[in-house]
Structure formats: structure tokens, C-alpha cells
Amino acid sequence: MTNQCEIKFTKLDKEKLLLTLSGNWKLDNNIPDASVIEEKILSFSGIGYLEFITTDVAEWDSGILTFLIKINEWCSKNNIKMETGGLPQGVQRLLALASAVAEREGARRQFVREPILSQIGSGTINFVHSTIEILNFFGEVSVAFMRLLRGKARFRRSDFLLILQDCGINALPIVSLICLLVGLILAFIAAIQLMMFGAQIYIASLVGIGMIRVLGAVMAGIIMAGRTSASFAAQIGTMEVNEEIDALKTTGISPIEFLVLPRVIALVLMMPLLCIFADLMGVLGGFIVGVGMLDIGITEYYNMTVDSVGINNFLIGIFQSCVFGVLVALAGCLRGMQCKRSASAVGDAATSAVVTGIISIVIATAIITILCNVLGI
Amino acid sequence: MINSESHITVHDLTMAYGSFVVQRNLTFTINRGDIFIIMGGSGCGKSTLMRHMIGLQKPAAGEIIIDKLNFWNAEVRERETMMRNFGILYQSGALWSSMTLAENISLPLEEYTDLSSNDIKEIISLKLALVGLSGFEDYYPSEISGGMQKRAGLARAMALDPEILFFDEPSAGLDPISAKLLDDLILELRDSLGATVVIVTHELASIFAIGNNSVFLDSDTKTMIAVGDPNKLLAESDNPKVQNFLTRGKIHYEQTS
Ligand SMILES: Nc1ncnc2c1ncn2[C@@H]1O[C@H](COP(=O)(O)OP(=O)(O)OP(=O)(O)O)[C@@H](O)[C@H]1O
Ligand SMILES: [Mg+2]
């Protein structure tokens, strides 16, 4: 006896067809395709009953079950009666169990392909909805902040301090490393061009103004979007998955006050400090290139930087960093609160928090730059 | 029945997720002091019904009346005041994972009472002792087992001595002895505090031991098919689905074998 799955057809009388199965009916043993068998059965026209003999079936597993279930469904569609009497006892029992709970009506999802116009339409509607949601969230946070000012809102001080530590001191190393390198790169690129005119000294003003007015704040903002905003989204998203947010709501504690406010406030407090640090490191990067490579004197470089930067540039940088702090924290918390109830949804929330954070930073930078231009600052 | 004043009335309630209707036309009354069981097969909408009664999900149609006030038509503030009288145990425990068990229980106490921190400490150890978790004050939820999380969730639900307790599958994940102790605790809460208890459970033993009123949700017809004392339902209901459920399918097998 071979182990190959085999099936023989014997016509017993006008209506009855006998299927003799033999071999190893296992998943990894090339079980014949149900549709082939169905065609075969049809070719015996006029069949009303199917019977089975399986005494030669050596071993079987779920493979034979899925095969028989397919045959069975096909049979009931074609008004053929399937007698399961000749099947192994275990197979009969499992088949009975599988059909014991009827499929729930409407439970199976149907995926219908939408026409392109309706896709565009629902896309637009979704966009409007998500914009409204963002505005709503912004409003709720503002209200919560007002309540805090009036001493009504509350969150746990220990939570707040932990967050403060996480988005302050813990973020320092990466912010300093990246801003140092950005300062270095900026100075290198500028050096090649400026040396052609013998104007190396202007590296000090270029790096100084570039870092302090825009880049320090933007780099710190983007790093925090990747680091902190993602972690906010994941923390809050996981709480949503575990019904912890529901538990807060039903205890009468507003999740916005309890979870979002401390995060926003902590980041708004820490961002300007990170920004100052980023500025310093960026200028240090330029300094290393200028003094180390281009032989600009230390005092010369220092004086040039101080002369060219000015307090306005510094204040604009700090202002931007505060704005970024709000945006990054809100992006993280918003995506966390919108999280659905699954592990993959938490991942999506973190991703989308980073994307939202970075996009809003870029847009805000553009707006602030244009405004400063118009106002002539 | 101890007292037949109605506490919660659900009237013609329809629950849906978007366009997917979970249950419709639910109408029943829970009296003060009842231990009310919500039962039905898995996925029929028991947890969803509970989410409607505790203010987390708005009905698609119909109303829920608690203490003669229309829960979902009330102002947000008013609803929050009503929710303060609820103690809720979630199906997943839902302890706040960044806080220790003690902090979990103390949060509602700090929020709504003026107790001194010493008093709060005493209440915490009392509630933990009631659920058999004395000494676990400083553990984080991730450091205790699933069944222990369930019990800690119960302790948190009882923190404010609420008027209405909602339990979603309180005994799932508990060993038989703890489950029995839990039943005793629920009876005791009802008798001593006069609380109304709404329980989602599959545990037949506790359904018959403590339940004195119930509703049976069916997922095929998407509505309730029985309401009343589970013991009476067992004796009198002629609905095969209810009988099947309450006898663990004995009837079904007797008929088919
Ligand atoms: N967020 C959701 N979105 C869409 N459908 C949902 C959602 N949550 C639950 N459902 C659906 O609602 C129905 C009822 O779910 P529910 O959680 O209330 O069941 P249950 O009776 O509590 O089941 P169990 O005994 O297993 O806890 C299920 O069929 C489920 O598919
Ligand atoms: Mg449930």
C-alpha cells in the first residue's frame, strides 16, 4: 500500500456514488483539490448520494477535514446527500463539532471593492472628521489647562516628575550628539565655499545664526518627536487597550487632565532648555571646525558669533522650541488617545504620532519663518 | 425579594457598533438590592451592555434610567455625579499599570473624599484584605497574576462603597475556592451596604447561588430571550436555548443522543 492520497470512484447504482479513499490523508501529502473531485463527481451525471469507504486510510489530520467540509458544502449546494457513515469515527465527530455552531449571520466580514469616486468621497469625509477630531482635542486640552490654572484639574506629581525626567535629562545625550554633528556638518559645507573667497570667519555667523535661530529648535523638536512623542502615544495607547482609560473615565477622572496635561506641560518646560543646549552644541560643532581646521582664533570666533547672532535670533529659537513642545506632546497624546484596541494599533499610534509630530514641526517652522519675515524680525 | 423599588431600568435599548447592531429591544428592570446576572453566549454583547450602563457607550436607541434619572439624556456633569456611585470591575481588570495596588485604590478615595492619608491607608488594607490580597499594597499590577489582578480590580471597584457594582466576569481566572469566596463577598456587599450588583458571568454555580434576577441575551435573534430569577428560569423556561445554557447543554445532548 502506498502512502499517496488516492480516491477511487465506483458507481453503486443510478444515484449512488462510492468514494474509496486510501493512503495518508495529511496536510503535507498532496491531498487532491476538492474542485477536481467535484468535477469528477459531476461527470457521473445524476448522482444524488455520496458514500465513503475509508478502511484503507492509514493516517489523517485536519487536511481530510477541510477537504470533506468543502465537498460537503458543494454537495448541499448541488442537492447531493453526503453519507458520512463510512468515514473514520474521529472524522465524523469532528465534522459534527465543526457544524454544531452555525456561522453567525453578518459576522463574516465582506470586503467589497469601492468605486474610485466613492473612495475619494469617503477619503474627504475622513479627512474632515480627523481635522475636527484634532481641533476637538486641542480644545479639550485648552479647557483642561484653564481648569489647571484655576486649581481644579489635577494629576499625580510623581507621574509629572517622571515625565519631566524622561523628556528632559534623559533626552540630553542624543540631542547633544546630533546637534554637535549638525554644527560640524554645517561648518564643513560652508568652509569649502567660503574659503574660495577667503571669508572663513563668516562660518561663525553662519553656524551661529543657523543653529540658534532655527536649527537648534528644529533638531531638538524632531528628535523629541521621534523619541518622546512615540513613547507618549505607546503609553497612552496601551492604557486604552487595557481599558485603563475607561477605568479613569468611569472613576470620574478626565484622561485629558490626568494623562495629557502633565505630558504637554513637561515637554513645554523642557523643550526650551533642550533648545538652548542644542544651540550650544551646534555652535561648538562649528567652533571645532573653525578653530581646529581653518585656524580662526578662539576669541575671533567667539566675538564673531556673539556679534552676529544677537538676542532676537535667540528668542525666536526659544519661542519656536516652545511651540514645538506643544505640538510634539499633543501629537503623541492625540494618537495615543485615538488608539484602537489591539497591539498592532499601539504600533500604528506610535508611528502616526511621529509622522504627525514631524509634519506639524515643519509646517510651524514655515509659518514662523514667514511671519518673522513679514514682521521684519 | 428584599425591596422591590426599581433602581435601574433599561427601556427598548438598541446597541450598535456603527451599523453593526449587537442587540436590540432590550427592556428590563433591576431592583434595589438585586444581584442581577447578564448572561448569554460568548460575543453576544454582555460587555457591550455593561459599557452602556456605566456611561462609556451611548445607546443607538432607547434609554437607561438610573434612580429615576435618564442616564444618557442628562447633562455631562449630572452623569458624572451618577457615575460616582458606580464601582466597576472590567473584564481585563484594567488596573492602572503605572501605579501600585495601593495607589490604584487610593486614587478614587483621594479624588472624592477628604480622608487623611492614614485613613486612606487603613481603607486600602481593608479592601485588599477583603479580596484576599493583604500585603500586596506595594506591588505593581504587572507583578501579580491574572486572577490576582481581577481581585485587585474588585478591591478598587469597592473603594468608595458604591451603590451599584458592575462586575464583568469577576470569577474568570479564579480557582473554585476563590470563586466561592468571591460569591460570598458579593452577597455580603449587597446585604451590608445595600448595594445593587450587576454581574456578567458564565459561572453556572454562582449564577444559581447568588443571582436573583437576570437577563439572557441571544446572539442569533440579537435580542433578549428571557428575563427573571435564574432558578425560576431553569425550572420554568421552555426556551431550549435558555435551558441549554443553564444546564450546560445537557438537554441538548439528551435530545440528540
Ligand atoms: N470595538 C468594537 N467594534 C466593533 N464591534 C465590536 C467591538 N467590540 C465588540 N464588538 C462586537 O460586539 C459583539 C459583542 O461583544 P462583547 O464584548 O459585548 O461580547 P461579550 O458578550 O462580552 O462576550 P464575552 O463573553 O466573550 O466577553 C461581538 O460580536 C463583537 O464582534
Ligand atoms: Mg465580555
Side-chain angles (χ1 to χ4, degrees):
Chain A
M1 187 176 71
T2 60
N3 285 335
Q4 209 65 30
C5 287
E6 272 176 31
I7 185 159
K8 264 193 278 178
F9 300 86
T10 333
K11 201 160 178 187
L12 293 180
D13 57 32
K14 240 195 325 196
E15 292 213 300
K16 266 191 193 157
L17 187 66
L18 178 68
L19 277 65
T20 315
L21 311 188
S22 59
N24 275 351
W25 281 70
K26 302 189 83 168
L27 279 175
D28 52 4
N29 203 22
N30 287 328
I31 291 182
D33 198 32
S35 56
V36 177
I37 305 297
E38 286 157 10
E39 264 167 39
K40 198 89 188 219
I41 298 173
L42 274 185
S43 70
F44 288 91
S45 59
I47 298 299
Y49 292 92
L50 282 190
E51 278 184 17
F52 292 88
I53 288 191
T54 52
T55 38
D56 284 345
V57 171
E59 291 175 24
W60 54 268
D61 63 7
S62 297
I64 198 173
L65 294 175
T66 52
F67 171 78
L68 287 171
I69 287 174
K70 266 186 248 158
I71 297 282
N72 192 12
E73 276 172 6
W74 176 82
C75 282
S76 49
K77 258 189 230 141
N78 289 278
N79 281 328
I80 298 176
K81 199 158 169 0
M82 186 168 126
E83 309 273 358
T84 53
L87 296 170
Q89 288 287 315
V91 172
Q92 288 185 35
R93 283 195 299 265
L94 287 173
L95 281 181
L97 266 185
S99 55
V101 177
E103 182 168 326
R104 182 170 312 162
E105 226 177 290
R108 186 166 298 220
R109 301 257 157 96
Q110 262 151 20
F111 294 97
V112 191
R113 216 193 182 134
E114 266 187 296
I116 185 94
L117 275 181
S118 100
Q119 274 182 23
I120 296 176
S122 49
T124 315
I125 294 174
N126 282 346
F127 177 75
V128 172
H129 275 297
S130 66
T131 314
I132 293 176
E133 228 169 288
I134 292 175
L135 291 178
N136 235 337
F137 183 74
F138 202 77
E140 278 181 64
V141 176
S142 314
V143 171
F145 188 68
M146 297 314 282
R147 281 173 58 83
L148 181 77
L149 291 185
R150 279 185 283 139
K152 278 190 179 163
R154 68 184 111 162
F155 45 78
R156 280 156 33 101
R157 176 129 45 105
S158 55
D159 282 353
F160 178 65
L161 293 178
L162 271 179
I163 299 167
L164 214 52
Q165 178 187 354
D166 182 57
C167 60
I169 198 108
N170 289 358
L172 263 190
I174 180 147
V175 169
S176 10
L177 177 68
I178 293 204
C179 287
L180 181 72
L181 293 182
V182 168
L184 274 174
I185 294 167
L186 209 57
F188 260 121
I189 297 172
I192 300 166
Q193 306 300 319
L194 292 177
M195 273 204 301
M196 291 197 277
F197 307 103
Q200 295 91 313
I201 184 64
Y202 287 103
I203 284 180
S205 26
L206 191 138
V207 173
I209 296 180
M211 286 309 294
I212 290 174
R213 183 174 173 125
V214 192
L215 282 179
V218 171
M219 290 319 293
I222 288 182
I223 294 166
M224 294 315 272
R227 195 181 171 278
T228 307
S229 157
S231 101
F232 286 177
Q235 285 165 0
I236 297 182
T238 313
M239 293 186 72
E240 178 73 48
V241 173
N242 290 341
E243 300 185 293
E244 289 175 46
I245 306 255
D246 286 344
L248 277 179
K249 282 186 200 155
T250 48
T251 313
I253 295 170
S254 150
I256 302 272
E257 287 171 17
F258 198 77
L259 299 172
V260 177
L261 264 195
R263 287 177 167 77
V264 175
I265 294 175
L267 206 53
V268 172
L269 287 181
M270 284 299 122
M271 273 304 280
L273 300 183
L274 284 176
C275 173
I276 294 176
F277 206 76
D279 292 349
L280 281 179
M281 296 309 283
V283 170
L284 180 66
F287 180 84
I288 292 173
V289 172
V291 174
M293 270 184 47
L294 305 178
D295 293 327
I296 306 174
I298 294 178
T299 38
E300 210 181 338
Y301 193 98
Y302 172 81
N303 286 337
M304 190 65 189
T305 307
V306 174
D307 285 346
S308 55
V309 173
I311 191 76
N312 266 353
N313 287 329
F314 176 72
L315 289 181
I316 289 174
I318 295 295
F319 171 71
Q320 292 199 68
S321 74
C322 292
V323 175
F324 297 163
V326 177
L327 293 177
V328 167
L330 284 182
C333 296
L334 169 72
R335 296 307 180 204
M337 298 288 287
Q338 286 173 336
C339 184
K340 301 266 175 359
R341 291 245 154 92
S342 72
S344 70
V346 176
D348 292 345
T351 312
S352 137
V354 176
V355 174
T356 316
I358 291 182
I359 290 179
S360 50
I361 285 179
V362 173
I363 293 177
T365 315
I367 294 175
I368 293 175
T369 310
I370 293 173
L371 276 185
C372 288
N373 237 334
V374 172
L375 296 176
I377 311 175
Chain B
M1 227 163 278
I2 313 164
N3 188 340
S4 53
E5 180 197 349
S6 78
H7 200 174
I8 306 175
T9 308
V10 171
H11 184 72
D12 213 10
L13 177 72
T14 297
M15 316 187 287
Y17 286 101
S19 58
F20 174 69
V21 174
V22 180
Q23 288 281 326
R24 58 167 63 94
N25 303 341
L26 301 183
T27 301
F28 54 85
T29 300
I30 303 174
N31 290 328
R32 208 169 272 279
D34 266 2
I35 293 182
F36 186 87
I37 315 266
I38 301 174
M39 50 190 175
S42 195
C44 66
K46 303 180 296 294
S47 300
T48 309
L49 175 56
M50 207 179 98
R51 289 174 64 82
H52 281 75
M53 304 216 275
I54 60 182
L56 287 175
Q57 212 170 324
K58 208 168 154 63
E63 49 218 30
I64 295 171
I65 293 153
I66 298 179
D67 263 336
K68 304 195 177 64
L69 276 171
N70 191 322
F71 188 52
W72 279 104
N73 281 354
E75 295 269 314
V76 179
R77 284 279 139 71
E78 212 174 346
R79 189 157 61 235
E80 274 172 6
T81 325
M82 290 158 90
M83 280 159 67
R84 220 164 280 178
N85 292 325
F86 298 170
I88 300 156
L89 169 65
Y90 291 83
Q91 189 162 4
S92 61
L95 294 167
W96 296 304
S97 48
S98 61
M99 302 182 216
T100 62
L101 298 194
E103 289 169 332
N104 262 283
I105 302 173
S106 71
L107 190 65
L109 290 169
E110 283 166 6
E111 196 67 22
Y112 296 120
T113 63
D114 299 321
L115 295 172
S116 70
S117 61
N118 245 346
D119 289 342
I120 289 186
K121 234 184 224 157
E122 277 163 19
I123 293 186
I124 290 170
S125 48
L126 167 72
K127 303 281 165 172
L128 282 177
L130 280 178
V131 295
L133 282 177
S134 323
F136 283 92
E137 274 89 345
D138 294 326
Y139 280 62
Y140 282 93
S142 57
E143 296 168 338
I144 59 178
S145 77
M148 287 157 88
Q149 289 180 12
K150 255 308 171 34
R151 282 185 277 158
L154 191 69
R156 182 181 70 187
M158 304 185 307
L160 286 169
D161 294 336
E163 272 180 43
I164 312 178
L165 285 156
F166 293 95
F167 297 154
D168 197 348
E169 309 206 2
S171 50
L174 296 189
D175 59 278
I177 312 262
S178 310
K180 169 76 176 59
L181 286 176
L182 183 70
D183 284 354
D184 294 345
L185 177 64
I186 291 173
L187 281 176
E188 197 49 52
L189 286 174
R190 191 266 308 266
D191 293 341
S192 56
L193 300 173
T196 304
V197 188
V198 179
I199 310 180
V200 173
T201 183
H202 303 291
E203 205 71 25
L204 283 178
S206 44
I207 290 179
F208 293 124
I210 60 176
N212 69 339
N213 198 353
S214 70
V215 62
F216 190 99
L217 305 182
D218 177 45
S219 52
D220 297 331
T221 53
K222 292 191 186 293
T223 188
M224 53 184 222
I225 52 175
V227 58
D229 187 331
N231 292 296
K232 277 203 191 124
L233 284 184
L234 176 64
E236 292 164 10
S237 169
D238 46 12
N239 190 317
K241 277 183 191 152
V242 180
Q243 283 297 335
N244 240 328
F245 186 96
L246 292 177
T247 56
R248 286 195 98 204
K250 246 189 219 146
I251 305 280
H252 179 72
Y253 287 118
E254 271 164 21
Q255 277 172 351
T256 50
S257 60

